[in-house]
Amino acid sequence: MLNMSISTVSRALKDHPDISKETKEKVRELAEILEYEPNTYAINLRTNNSKEFGVIVPAISNYFYHSFISSLEEEVRRYGYSLIILQSVDDPEIELENLKRCKQSRVAGIFVSITSKTEDIKPFLKVEDQDIPIIFFDKVPAFEACNKVCVADSLATQLAVEALITKKKKKILALFGDINLSISNKRLAAFEKEMAKMGSTISYTIDFANSAKAASLAFTKALEESKPDAVFCMSDEILTGVMKVIQKLAIKIPNDLSIVAISDGFIPQLYFPEIAYAETSGFKLGKLAFSRMMTCMAGNSFVQELTIDSVLINGGSI
Amino acid sequence: MLNMSISTVSRALKDHPDISKETKEKVRELAEILEYEPNTYAINLRTNNSKEFGVIVPAISNYFYHSFISSLEEEVRRYGYSLIILQSVDDPEIELENLKRCKQSRVAGIFVSITSKTEDIKPFLKVEDQDIPIIFFDKVPAFEACNKVCVADSLATQLAVEALITKKKKKILALFGDINLSISNKRLAAFEKEMAKMGSTISYTIDFANSAKAASLAFTKALEESKPDAVFCMSDEILTGVMKVIQKLAIKIPNDLSIVAISDGFIPQLYFPEIAYAETSGFKLGKLAFSRMMTCMAGNSFVQELTIDSVLINGGSI
DNA sequence: ATGAAAGCGCTAACAA
DNA sequence: TTGTTAGCGCTTTCAT
């Protein structure tokens, strides 16, 4: 319509320095009028990349992941990217399918939190070989040579325990999640290290629960048996189980019992008094994961494991 | 490598009836060995469609949306589709950008829950004109001629109120969300309709709160002023605000006060006793939205508004 | 400053 | 049953 070649138009539209001002103006005007939209499929084909990242998580409806995803989405949007969300429903097979989908969609990069049963991470490494960077977050493989961003399990545990110690608690009940999850073990190890520091001045009991209900049960039992003066809850799931019993028995917090948790903060502030917690923020982790991805995509980067800080958020529960 | 043309390979790979068994076999074998992956960009360009849906929500980190998204993802995955997630952070401008992104990515269809400030839905209708079906869900425009799937606001409200009436409650405090939100108004209207049915046998107070904190305040005030024997909470947000005060004042549920809410169920079961609620399931809405999308894509369908049922889930709170 | 032309990897109509 | 070919809409090199 403007009597110029396709290449001129293409260049004009992307503000190429070779094109004269007047031409650019004309092209832009007509594009506006015609409501021209570049065909993303063609661009992707031609440039062999797309402005999309894949995100593979065990489940979106999780205390932690949706805040991670939300924060990540905010970040990538600024850079013109979008997020393709895939759930593995904690099934390694579906996880593998999802990975394949990402590969086939030729996403620019993949964020993945592995399932609790994922054993073989070779498929992930293979995708990386094809120049699709992978950032593992939260639930990361033990394997060394991959990019990971994690919450500070040890630090968070330490902060939570220290808060209890400061308040001179003597009999701590520590409740952890599924014993098979690496996160449980990391936090358990950190907990025991803190206890070791204190020597025999503090006694403690440890139990595991793989659901809120199990946590309620474990807590109820411990209440009778070990009569703790403080409870350490490894996760929101554990905390909700404990808090339900506390409401049921009308236990006075913090007079009868102190509570401290590790959480991203949503659940703790539902209660009165609000529960003190060591923060593990999905929000912050999202930002970190993104910046790590950008570095990887730039290409000049070593594989490494990054950790976000944790802080203790005070509540009236200790 | 196999001494055959590209088209033969293409057809063999997609099990075209014209191709002989042996050829297919050979092609598949070699494809396996070579780890051939079809180039999605090229397919999209050629076929002019992609196996992706856009999802535009005010925020992922919301009581309701992440369960909707989670359920929708499960569903679309079965059909080989993926979900592109875009947040509008309740900003109509960003919402518009997101819509544009979807259009440019030429998604197969869009699921959208509009922001509380979205006034102009013409841009959405325009996208529909380009044969990208749009399913509005949850927060839908008042405009008639578009496809909507919603939770049953009236029914849920009715069920919740009926539960209170059955228990002979006489002084109901009804707490609603942001007065500007259509959802608040729908539920309010339904509530008043139920009250009208009862004539003067029941007295009630109505208040609005646009945050959990505001709900706490409104509830505290009402407690002193109107001394209700039951509280109706329009949403999880309201419920959490109310429950915090209840814990603070150690109010006995249901002896001192009955509580009923409208919720998808996660929050109500955090408390003891568990809170009775009329269910508005993001999970079910996801399934419905998807099936509606498929119908629209098939092309033979009228514009319509669909609603998912609600049921009362009993708790110990009434 | 602009144009011509090749080609990204695939599909499908048509030919053989 | 298989091959030839055009073309999807764009980017980019090379020529002018």
Side-chain angles (χ1 to χ4, degrees):
Chain A
M1 288 173 73
L2 254 27
N3 254 337
M4 48 178 82
S5 74
I6 295 174
S7 26
T8 307
V9 174
S10 171
R11 284 190 272 245
L13 250 13
K14 50 182 32 142
D15 210 19
H16 194 285
D18 275 1
I19 304 295
S20 74
K21 261 203 168 156
E22 305 88 65
T23 309
K24 280 183 190 170
E25 202 44 55
K26 272 195 246 167
V27 170
R28 271 200 278 256
E29 253 175 46
L30 190 59
E32 187 80 16
I33 294 169
L34 263 35
E35 301 194 38
Y36 167 81
E37 306 259 7
N39 184 318
T40 313
Y41 302 154
I43 297 175
N44 290 349
L45 176 60
R46 183 56 229 241
T47 60
N48 198 31
N49 66 47
S50 80
K51 297 284 249 176
E52 284 174 346
F53 292 119
V55 180
I56 306 177
V57 289
I60 299 165
S61 283
N62 168 291
Y63 300 115
F64 188 80
Y65 292 130
H66 60 77
S67 70
F68 174 88
I69 294 172
S70 172
S71 138
L72 184 60
E73 195 278 339
E74 261 183 67
E75 208 63 16
V76 302
R77 178 156 30 82
R78 283 205 203 111
Y79 290 76
Y81 285 83
S82 304
L83 247 34
I84 299 181
I85 307 286
L86 302 158
Q87 295 182 102
S88 49
V89 284
D90 215 38
D91 177 340
E93 258 182 65
I94 299 182
E95 186 174 55
L96 210 59
E97 269 173 42
N98 289 340
L99 181 65
K100 203 172 157 188
R101 268 197 92 76
C102 285
K103 200 168 61 176
Q104 287 198 345
S105 312
R106 295 176 193 224
V107 294
I110 307 176
F111 299 91
V112 43
S113 184
I114 60 176
T115 76
S116 55
K117 299 151 205 150
T118 304
E119 309 221 307
D120 184 18
I121 66 154
K122 276 191 232 89
F124 292 101
L125 301 176
K126 222 162 153 185
V127 171
E128 279 208 293
D129 285 343
Q130 293 169 38
D131 272 329
I132 302 181
I134 299 193
I135 309 290
F136 291 96
F137 69 94
D138 197 45
K139 306 258 166 61
V140 302
F143 179 71
E144 293 279 315
C146 54
N147 278 296
K148 316 178 200 178
V149 295
C150 299
V151 298
D153 289 305
S154 300
L155 177 59
T157 306
Q158 186 187 340
L159 290 174
V161 171
E162 280 173 0
L164 258 23
I165 291 172
T166 308
K167 293 282 183 172
K168 308 249 182 289
K169 298 299 159 184
K170 296 295 174 203
K171 294 181 78 173
I172 300 178
L173 168 66
L175 260 20
F176 295 88
D178 191 323
I179 195 167
N180 297 312
L181 254 40
S182 72
I183 190 173
S184 302
N185 287 304
K186 278 190 205 163
R187 293 179 183 186
L188 173 60
F191 179 83
E192 291 190 314
K193 193 172 147 207
E194 290 305 307
M195 289 298 108
K197 272 191 207 164
M198 300 305 295
S200 57
T201 57
I202 293 191
S203 73
Y204 64 94
T205 318
I206 282 168
D207 207 347
F208 300 88
N210 51 21
S211 71
K213 208 155 238 164
S216 292
L217 254 41
F219 176 55
T220 308
K221 202 185 74 184
L223 229 38
E224 291 162 7
E225 290 175 4
S226 59
K227 303 213 180 294
D229 59 6
V231 186
F232 165 88
C233 303
M234 184 201 92
S235 66
D236 280 325
E237 198 169 35
I238 302 285
L239 176 62
T240 56
V242 167
M243 289 308 294
K244 212 158 157 183
V245 175
I246 284 176
Q247 292 172 72
K248 185 174 179 180
L249 305 182
I251 295 171
K252 295 270 179 295
I253 305 293
N255 293 345
D256 300 350
L257 191 68
S258 288
I259 311 268
V260 70
I262 298 181
S263 168
D264 74 346
F266 173 70
I267 298 289
Q269 54 83 40
L270 292 180
Y271 302 104
F272 187 92
E274 294 189 358
I275 308 303
Y277 64 95
E279 183 202 58
T280 59
S281 157
F283 185 84
K284 284 186 194 163
L285 195 63
K287 305 294 178 212
L288 180 65
F290 177 71
S291 84
R292 187 83 200 105
M293 175 66 85
M294 290 318 251
T295 315
C296 287
M297 280 171 39
N300 43 14
S301 143
F302 294 100
V303 155
Q304 56 177 309
E305 174 163 354
L306 258 38
T307 298
I308 49 162
D309 238 4
S310 182
V311 288
L312 188 84
I313 308 292
N314 265 307
S317 70
I318 49 174
Chain B
M1 288 174 73
L2 254 27
N3 254 337
M4 48 179 83
S5 74
I6 296 174
S7 34
T8 306
V9 174
S10 171
R11 284 189 273 244
L13 249 14
K14 51 182 31 142
D15 210 18
H16 194 286
D18 276 1
I19 303 295
S20 73
K21 262 201 167 155
E22 304 89 65
T23 308
K24 282 183 190 170
E25 203 45 54
K26 273 195 246 166
V27 170
R28 271 201 279 256
E29 255 174 43
L30 189 60
E32 186 80 16
I33 295 169
L34 263 36
E35 300 194 39
Y36 167 81
E37 305 258 6
N39 185 317
T40 313
Y41 302 154
I43 297 175
N44 289 350
L45 175 60
R46 183 58 231 241
T47 60
N48 199 31
N49 67 47
S50 78
K51 297 285 250 178
E52 284 173 346
F53 291 119
V55 180
I56 305 177
V57 290
I60 299 165
S61 283
N62 168 290
Y63 301 115
F64 187 80
Y65 293 129
H66 61 77
S67 70
F68 174 88
I69 294 171
S70 171
S71 139
L72 184 61
E73 195 277 340
E74 262 182 67
E75 207 64 13
V76 302
R77 178 156 29 84
R78 284 203 202 111
Y79 290 76
Y81 285 83
S82 305
L83 247 33
I84 298 181
I85 308 285
L86 301 159
Q87 296 181 102
S88 49
V89 284
D90 216 40
D91 177 340
E93 257 183 64
I94 299 183
E95 185 174 55
L96 210 59
E97 269 173 42
N98 289 340
L99 182 65
K100 203 172 158 190
R101 266 198 94 75
C102 285
K103 200 168 62 177
Q104 286 198 347
S105 311
R106 296 179 192 220
V107 294
I110 306 176
F111 299 91
V112 44
S113 183
I114 60 176
T115 78
S116 55
K117 301 149 205 151
T118 304
E119 308 220 309
D120 183 17
I121 64 155
K122 276 191 232 88
F124 293 100
L125 301 176
K126 222 163 154 185
V127 171
E128 279 208 293
D129 285 344
Q130 293 171 39
D131 272 329
I132 302 181
I134 298 193
I135 310 290
F136 291 96
F137 70 93
D138 196 46
K139 306 259 165 59
V140 303
F143 179 70
E144 293 278 315
C146 53
N147 279 296
K148 315 178 202 178
V149 296
C150 299
V151 298
D153 289 304
S154 300
L155 177 58
T157 307
Q158 188 186 339
L159 289 173
V161 171
E162 280 173 0
L164 258 23
I165 292 173
T166 308
K167 293 282 182 172
K168 308 251 183 288
K169 298 298 159 186
K170 296 296 175 202
K171 294 180 79 172
I172 299 178
L173 167 66
L175 260 20
F176 296 88
D178 191 324
I179 195 166
N180 297 312
L181 253 40
S182 72
I183 190 173
S184 302
N185 286 303
K186 278 191 205 163
R187 294 179 182 187
L188 173 60
F191 179 84
E192 291 190 313
K193 192 172 150 209
E194 290 305 306
M195 289 299 107
K197 272 190 206 164
M198 301 304 296
S200 56
T201 57
I202 292 191
S203 73
Y204 64 95
T205 318
I206 281 169
D207 207 347
F208 299 88
N210 51 22
S211 71
K213 209 155 237 165
S216 292
L217 254 43
F219 176 55
T220 307
K221 202 186 71 183
L223 229 38
E224 291 161 8
E225 290 175 3
S226 60
K227 303 213 179 292
D229 59 5
V231 186
F232 165 87
C233 304
M234 184 200 92
S235 66
D236 279 324
E237 199 170 34
I238 302 286
L239 176 62
T240 57
V242 167
M243 288 308 294
K244 212 158 157 185
V245 175
I246 283 176
Q247 292 171 72
K248 184 174 180 179
L249 305 181
I251 296 171
K252 295 271 178 296
I253 305 294
N255 292 347
D256 299 350
L257 190 69
S258 288
I259 312 269
V260 71
I262 298 181
S263 168
D264 73 348
F266 173 71
I267 297 289
Q269 54 83 38
L270 292 181
Y271 302 103
F272 186 91
E274 294 189 358
I275 309 302
Y277 64 95
E279 182 203 59
T280 59
S281 157
F283 186 84
K284 284 186 193 164
L285 195 64
K287 306 291 178 211
L288 180 65
F290 177 71
S291 83
R292 188 83 200 106
M293 176 64 85
M294 291 317 251
T295 315
C296 287
M297 280 170 40
N300 43 14
S301 143
F302 295 100
V303 156
Q304 56 177 310
E305 175 164 353
L306 258 37
T307 298
I308 49 161
D309 238 5
S310 182
V311 288
L312 188 84
I313 308 292
N314 264 307
S317 70
I318 50 174

